[in-house]
């Protein structure tokens, strides 16, 4: 069942059966981090199948949580970054305490490390409030973990650790993130977007919300688009409205060579789709090429053949969790620097990542598992099925 986004829980909303426990997850504010939290949700449901999990999350990450079967409900977290607003947080906590048929929540998992993120579960009176000690949260959390960065080098591991007792080892391997996208959802998104699925589809995600030090150059993306177009691919650029200018730069750099292959061979869809629609379009792709971004983690969780490009960030900390992902990083002495802009002014970590190397990785990724490619027949069947009837 898909989660539903709600501004607040009503006092009689979300009732649960006698003896059934409910957990509230205070989710991360970034799309990629939200995907990396799913192994925690999977592990909780594996151990406690009757556990109900709701997520308190910003609206811009809600579409990702809605595609996780472990999440029952997404509750809007209305607080902007850095906004304290103790009164509003107290009111939200009290309303959450009155939810679930008046029984509130039994557990809270606080994934961000800020003090503010732990306030709502505290005000809600949730008996077990679980998280890393973080910003001096000794009172706000009562089941506190101490972070051992060497034992838990990856973000997904740190989130999953919260399912364990403090100090207990983390069982490995982790469950992999897996987002849902059905043929019917994909068909609906194509129709709403005025798109037809091409015979061979490559999706590029040329943006990165964090900053330009995580973006492979637009000229490189354009050259790669030309190479793939010559091999029969149509290329769609996906991202937020903030990435639209980057998409236009890719189009401009592609020049007449790519455009001569057809008006629709290279399309800039950045800012023209919702995140929900982007999930479905990525699910249709035969190949995805991404910077280290939220959509990279979405592509990994959809099981698409993926080439992930790393510059200023670390594939050791936030790798795409998919056996179909290929990570490319030059591993220069100056990287990862984790800066938004190159502090040295040259961005060699991405400028020197040449198109030929990326193209070779793309062709290998696309050819690696043909049995896992998009099932065009099921999409066609869904298109032929009248609305309201099962395919």
């Amino acid at each position: 069942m898909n989660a539903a986004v709600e501004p607040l829980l009503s006092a009689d909303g979300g009732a649960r059966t006698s003896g059934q426990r409910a957990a509230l997850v205070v989710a991360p504010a970034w799309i990629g981090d939200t995907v990396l939290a799913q192994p925690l949700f999977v592990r909780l449901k594996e151990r406690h199948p009757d556990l109900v999990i709701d997520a308190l999350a910003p609206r811009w990450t809600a579409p990702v949580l809605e595609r996780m079967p472990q999440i029952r409900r997404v509750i809007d977290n209305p607080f902007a970054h850095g906004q304290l607003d103790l009164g509003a947080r107290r009111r939200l906590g009290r309303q959450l305490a009155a939810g679930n048929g008046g029984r509130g929540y039994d557990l809270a998992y606080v994934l961000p490390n800020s003090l503010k993120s732990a306030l709502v579960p505290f005000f809600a009176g949730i008996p077990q409030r679980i998280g890393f000690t973080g910003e001096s949260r000794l009172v706000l959390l009562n089941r506190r973990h101490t972070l051992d960065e060497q034992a838990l080098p990856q973000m997904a591991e740190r989130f999953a650790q919260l399912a364990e007792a403090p100090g207990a080892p983390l069982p490995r391997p982790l469950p992999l993130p897996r987002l849902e996208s059905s043929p019917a959802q994909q068909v609906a998104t194509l129709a709403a977007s005025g798109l037809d699925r091409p015979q061979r589809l490559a999706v590029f995600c040329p943006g990165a919300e964090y900053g330009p030090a995580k973006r492979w150059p637009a000229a490189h993306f354009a050259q790669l688009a030309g190479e793939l177009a010559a091999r029969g691919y149509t290329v769609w650029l996906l991202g937020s409205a903030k990435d639209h200018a980057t998409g236009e730069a890719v189009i401009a750099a592609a020049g007449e060579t790519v455009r001569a292959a057809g008006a629709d061979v290279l399309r800039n869809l950045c800012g023209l789709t919702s995140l929900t629609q982007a999930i479905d379009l990525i699910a249709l792709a035969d190949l995805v090429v991404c910077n280290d971004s939220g959509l990279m983690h979405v592509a990994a969780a959809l099981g698409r053949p993926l080439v992930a490009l790393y510059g200023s960030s670390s594939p050791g900390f936030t790798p795409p969790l998919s056996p179909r992902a290929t990570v490319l990083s030059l591993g220069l002495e100056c990287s990862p620097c984790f800066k938004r802009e190159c502090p040295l002014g040259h961005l060699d970590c991405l400028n020197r990542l040449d198109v030929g190397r990326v193209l070779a990785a793309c062709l290998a990724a696309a050819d690696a598992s043909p049995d896992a490619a998009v099932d065009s027949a099921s999409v066609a069947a869904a298109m032929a099925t009248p609305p309201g009837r099962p395919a």
Side-chain angles (χ1 to χ4, degrees):
M1 178 177 64
N2 283 342
V5 183
E6 298 190 1
L8 297 173
L9 280 176
S10 60
D12 59 350
R16 48 197 166 107
T17 60
S18 176
Q20 187 178 36
R21 295 202 302 168
L24 179 72
V25 171
V26 181
W30 295 86
I31 292 170
D33 295 358
T34 301
V35 173
L36 295 177
Q38 193 180 18
L40 166 64
F41 310 152
V42 173
R43 193 149 279 175
L44 290 174
K45 292 292 284 186
E46 286 176 347
R47 296 178 183 177
H48 312 285
D50 292 333
L51 180 69
V52 170
I53 305 176
D54 293 345
L56 179 66
R59 281 190 175 268
W60 55 85
T61 65
V64 172
L65 291 158
E66 290 168 357
R67 295 301 182 91
M68 296 181 183
Q70 301 81 20
I71 301 298
R72 176 188 66 169
R73 186 194 317 270
V74 183
I75 304 161
D76 183 39
N77 186 341
F79 304 106
H81 177 71
Q83 178 186 359
L84 181 57
D85 204 341
L86 276 173
R89 290 179 190 269
R90 184 180 290 108
R91 287 191 295 274
L92 176 56
R94 289 173 178 170
Q95 288 173 312
L96 291 172
N100 285 317
R103 295 170 57 192
Y105 292 91
D106 304 286
L107 309 103
Y109 294 88
V110 183
L111 274 54
N113 285 327
S114 67
L115 184 146
K116 293 183 290 295
S117 63
L119 287 170
V120 169
F122 177 78
F123 290 138
I126 299 175
Q128 291 191 59
R129 303 181 301 278
I130 303 154
F132 288 98
T133 300
E135 295 180 350
S136 303
R137 305 189 292 185
L138 299 178
V139 175
L140 300 178
L141 302 178
N142 55 16
R143 198 167 105 188
R144 296 182 298 276
H145 292 250
T146 300
L147 177 59
D148 182 339
E149 294 184 356
Q150 291 187 334
L152 302 171
Q154 294 185 10
M155 179 178 289
E157 294 173 335
R158 297 175 186 183
F159 291 152
Q161 180 65 41
L162 299 182
E164 312 302 323
L170 176 68
R172 291 180 172 88
L174 293 183
L176 295 177
R178 183 65 66 225
L179 300 181
E180 296 181 330
S181 176
S182 69
Q185 289 169 324
Q186 295 160 17
V187 167
T189 289
L190 287 171
S193 305
L195 298 169
D196 293 315
R197 188 191 184 278
Q199 185 173 1
R200 304 184 80 183
L201 173 62
V203 167
F204 291 178
C205 304
E209 178 74 14
Y210 186 74
K214 293 177 73 172
R215 298 178 196 143
W216 200 43
H220 290 18
F221 271 113
Q223 186 179 346
L224 180 64
E227 294 287 353
L228 291 176
R231 290 164 172 81
Y233 281 89
T234 293
V235 180
W236 292 348
L237 309 179
L238 288 179
S240 70
K242 295 179 181 178
D243 302 320
H244 188 77
T246 300
E248 288 299 291
V250 174
I251 298 287
E256 293 300 327
T257 303
V258 174
R259 289 194 289 271
D264 294 331
V265 167
L266 178 60
R267 298 188 62 168
N268 181 16
L269 302 176
C270 296
L272 303 182
T273 69
S274 66
L275 177 54
T276 297
Q277 292 170 329
I279 291 171
D280 290 327
L281 295 180
I282 290 172
L284 287 164
D286 299 297
L287 170 68
V288 184
V289 183
C290 290
N291 299 315
D292 176 18
S293 64
L295 291 183
M296 177 198 74
H297 292 289
V298 167
L302 289 166
R304 306 319 308 141
L306 168 66
V307 176
L309 311 175
Y310 280 76
S312 67
S313 55
S314 169
F317 182 47
T318 54
L321 299 181
S322 168
R324 305 193 74 191
T326 300
V327 171
L328 295 183
S329 174
L330 293 179
L332 302 183
E333 185 178 353
C334 57
S335 66
C337 67
F338 298 105
K339 302 294 185 182
R340 294 179 184 270
E341 298 187 15
C342 177
L344 302 178
H346 52 58
L347 197 61
D348 280 353
C349 58
L350 289 170
N351 284 331
R352 287 168 52 186
L353 183 55
D354 66 89
V355 174
R357 180 176 174 183
V358 178
L359 174 63
C362 288
L363 299 178
D367 292 340
S369 301
D371 57 314
V374 172
D375 184 356
S376 300
S378 61
V379 174
M383 293 179 70
T385 302
R389 294 186 186 178

